[in-house]
Structures are given as C-alpha cells and as structure tokens.
C-alpha cells in the first residue's frame, strides 16, 4: 500500500525490526502512532506513543514526547510537551472489558484524523472504550458521532 502525508500509520505494539518502515513513513510525512514499548528506542520519534501501564519497559522515559498511558478503569494519563493530565473513564456498568483498549486506540486515531488535539482525541477514545465495556459483545460498541460530541 502506498502511504501519503495525510495518513496515520499505527504500530499497536513495537519491535525494533519495524524501525526502517517507521522511518520511511516519517520521511513521507505520515503521522505515526506506536506502542508504548518504543519509548525505550531513542531512534523512534513518533507523533504519539500509546499503551497500558504494564507495557512500559521502564519508568525512565522522555516525557517531552506525546504519550498516552492507559490504566483500565482508572482512565488514562496524557503526557504532552512534558505536561501530565489524568483523564477518568466513567462507566455506569462494566459488562465485558474485551475490546476496550482497541476501541480507545481507534477513537484516538479518529480524533487525530479529524485534526483534534491529543486531549480531545483521548477523550474520544475513552468515550468509545467506556461504551464498549458497557456492551455484552467482545466487539467494540457501534461507532457514533456522539463520542466526538461528548469529548468536546
């Protein structure tokens, strides 16, 4: 597939073997989102690093990068330009957590694709993740524009 500068390329988990493909995407000008494990590789300067707190390889990482660290029912931490902000995940009921992380990532990418800042993109992702855990399916909740409206 051909990649263009308007694309967002996502590596949901990171292996150093991906570095040459990553650099090719950066050279083209595509936005890049990589798994949080890549924080340990100083050659990877993605637009966003994302993952759960258990995937952090080390507590020592460059906090000047854009990072989302998810923490299940506790929400997520956004680190942007060295500033840390905590975002809650408010669920009325938890039925099935399967797919919540995928829904959160997808919501963040939708926000990025629509030109939203990371804060609003994360809120979109959290809204979709919450809707997902409130359903009886292992699939994310049906997408709705309300997730974007709620994030605004």
């Amino acid at each position: 597939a051909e990649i263009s500068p308007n694309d967002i390329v996502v590596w949901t988990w990171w292996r150093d073997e991906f570095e040459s493909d990553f650099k090719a995407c950066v050279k083209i000008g595509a936005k890049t989102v990589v798994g949080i494990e890549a924080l340990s590789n100083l050659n990877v300067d993605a637009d966003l690093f994302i993952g759960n707190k258990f995937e952090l390889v080390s507590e020592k990482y460059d906090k000047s990068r854009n990072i989302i660290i998810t923490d299940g029912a506790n929400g997520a931490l956004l680190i942007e330009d060295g500033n840390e902000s905590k975002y809650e995940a408010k669920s009325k009921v938890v039925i099935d957590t399967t797919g919540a992380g995928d829904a959160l990532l997808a919501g963040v990418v939708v926000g990025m694709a629509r030109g939203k800042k990371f804060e609003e993109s994360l809120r979109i992702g959290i809204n979709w993740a919450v809707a997902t855990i409130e359903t009886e399916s292992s699939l994310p909740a049906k997408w709705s524009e309300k997730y974007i409206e709620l994030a605004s």
Side-chain angles (χ1 to χ4, degrees), residues 2-21:
E2 192 171 314
I3 296 173
S4 73
N6 295 323
D7 289 342
I8 300 173
V9 183
V10 180
W11 287 266
T12 55
W13 46 271
W14 183 258
R15 297 295 178 264
D16 289 338
E17 294 81 12
F18 304 154
E19 191 173 324
S20 63
D21 293 324

Side-chain angles (χ1 to χ4, degrees), residues 41-117:
N41 184 331
L42 298 178
N43 293 322
V44 177
D45 192 19
D47 292 289
L48 179 65
F49 296 81
I50 189 167
N52 68 54
K53 69 178 186 175
F54 301 109
E55 295 167 332
L56 277 173
V57 177
S58 168
E59 290 295 322
K60 296 179 182 179
Y61 50 87
D62 182 358
K63 291 188 177 183
S64 68
R65 295 172 161 187
N66 300 315
I67 306 166
I68 293 175
I69 303 170
T70 64
D71 189 16
N74 296 317
L77 177 69
L78 171 64
I79 303 171
E80 187 175 15
D81 300 322
N83 299 311
E84 296 185 12
S85 301
K86 181 88 169 116
Y87 296 86
E88 292 183 356
K90 297 178 184 175
S91 176
K92 295 175 187 155
V93 61
V94 176
I95 296 172
D96 185 352
T97 61
T98 306
D102 295 333
L104 185 138
L105 174 62
V108 168
V109 172
V110 165
M112 290 175 65
R114 294 185 180 196
K116 307 289 186 191
K117 293 182 178 185

Side-chain angles (χ1 to χ4, degrees), residues 12 20 26 33-35 37-38 41 43 53 56 58 60 94 102 106 109 115 119 123 130 132 141 143 145-146 148-149:
T12 55
S20 63
V26 170
V33 178
V34 299
E37 309 90 352
N41 184 331
N43 293 322
K53 69 178 186 175
L56 277 173
S58 168
K60 296 179 182 179
V94 176
D102 295 333
V109 172
E119 175 184 351
R123 289 181 193 275
V130 166
T132 297
W143 174 256
E145 291 297 312
K146 73 178 180 182
I148 293 176
E149 293 164 11

